[in-house]
Amino acid sequence: MDFITACSNARASSYRIAAANKHKTKLIAGKIIPAIATTTAVVAGLVSIEMYKMIQGLKDVEKYKNAFLNLALPFYAFSEPILAPKNKYYDVEWTLWDRYDIQGDITLQELLDIFENEHKLEISMLSQGVCMLYAFFMPADKRKERCGMKLSALVELVTKKKLPAHKRALVLEICCNDSEGEDVDTPYINYSLP
């Protein structure tokens, strides 16, 4: 209880909240713990029911349920989940859950070629976070320089930050044109770092 009191008072001082003594902390924690245990039990039960449906191999989304609950009221509501909207380019259907997986330390030009040859798409813009890595309207010498760079080095150059050692992948957003020059919505690229 001393540890909980010390931690809560450290947090309270960080947020300029009045500190509590050991007795008050015990009173507050005593009210929270039963509520957490009850809610956890209900959620675990509802998740288990949905897991059984997945194990049975049910494909019909209408067989599954979303649950909303508030034990203080008490209020329980169930609804049918909604499928992610489907998008399409050429004959390829995709949802917000899809992505392109790219592995290996490749150059920007190799990435552009992969999309040109395998997906018949021309990448017109490529960004990582708020940083523009490539755009068709960049000056030619800048485009040429960047096309020869490894993607990891390009990200470090543009963001002006070293990639952290724990970073395993980058999310790259792309704008693409199809073979007729029309803008095409596509999934993002999950670029696995070497």
Side-chain angles (χ1 to χ4, degrees):
M1 201 64 223
D2 291 331
F3 177 73
I4 293 171
T5 303
C7 289
S8 66
N9 285 337
R11 181 181 178 274
S13 67
S14 296
Y15 292 99
R16 295 186 178 93
I17 301 170
N21 60 25
K22 186 176 174 180
H23 178 63
K24 187 173 181 181
T25 302
K26 193 172 186 178
L27 184 70
I28 293 168
K31 292 178 183 176
I32 293 172
I33 291 169
I36 291 172
T38 308
T39 305
T40 303
V42 172
V43 170
L46 292 170
V47 167
S48 296
I49 291 170
E50 299 307 307
M51 288 282 288
Y52 280 122
K53 294 175 186 178
M54 288 184 72
I55 291 167
Q56 290 175 341
L58 299 177
K59 299 288 184 204
D60 185 9
V61 75
E62 293 174 357
K63 301 287 185 196
Y64 294 91
K65 298 292 179 220
N66 287 335
F68 305 91
L69 58 108
N70 186 338
L71 297 180
L73 295 179
F75 173 75
Y76 296 85
F78 297 93
S79 67
E80 292 177 1
I82 300 171
L83 287 174
K86 291 185 178 181
N87 298 303
K88 190 174 183 178
Y89 68 89
Y90 299 130
D91 291 332
V92 178
E93 279 191 352
W94 62 277
T95 69
L96 295 174
W97 295 103
D98 294 315
R99 64 185 184 201
Y100 297 111
D101 286 310
I102 304 290
Q103 297 184 1
D105 202 12
I106 62 173
T107 64
L108 174 57
Q109 187 60 56
E110 289 171 327
L111 178 70
L112 297 175
D113 292 342
I114 288 169
F115 274 81
E116 187 78 39
N117 299 330
E118 294 180 18
H119 304 289
K120 306 290 184 252
L121 296 171
E122 176 191 359
I123 295 178
S124 55
M125 286 189 280
L126 174 71
S127 62
Q128 195 271 320
V130 296
C131 296
M132 182 72 65
L133 304 177
Y134 169 83
F136 70 94
F137 52 80
M138 283 180 169
D141 57 334
K142 194 176 203 178
R143 269 199 328 261
K144 184 177 179 183
E145 176 193 352
R146 290 187 178 188
C147 281
M149 295 180 72
K150 299 286 186 186
L151 285 173
S152 55
L154 179 57
V155 169
E156 288 179 345
L157 172 78
V158 176
T159 61
K160 296 179 176 67
K161 294 180 187 173
K162 187 102 174 109
L163 289 173
H166 69 274
K167 194 82 152 166
R168 298 281 180 246
L170 297 173
V171 173
L172 304 175
E173 298 288 340
I174 55 175
C175 293
C176 293
N177 296 329
D178 63 13
S179 57
E180 297 173 4
E182 296 294 320
D183 285 342
V184 177
D185 286 333
T186 61
Y188 67 91
I189 298 172
N190 182 58
Y191 173 59
S192 299
L193 294 167

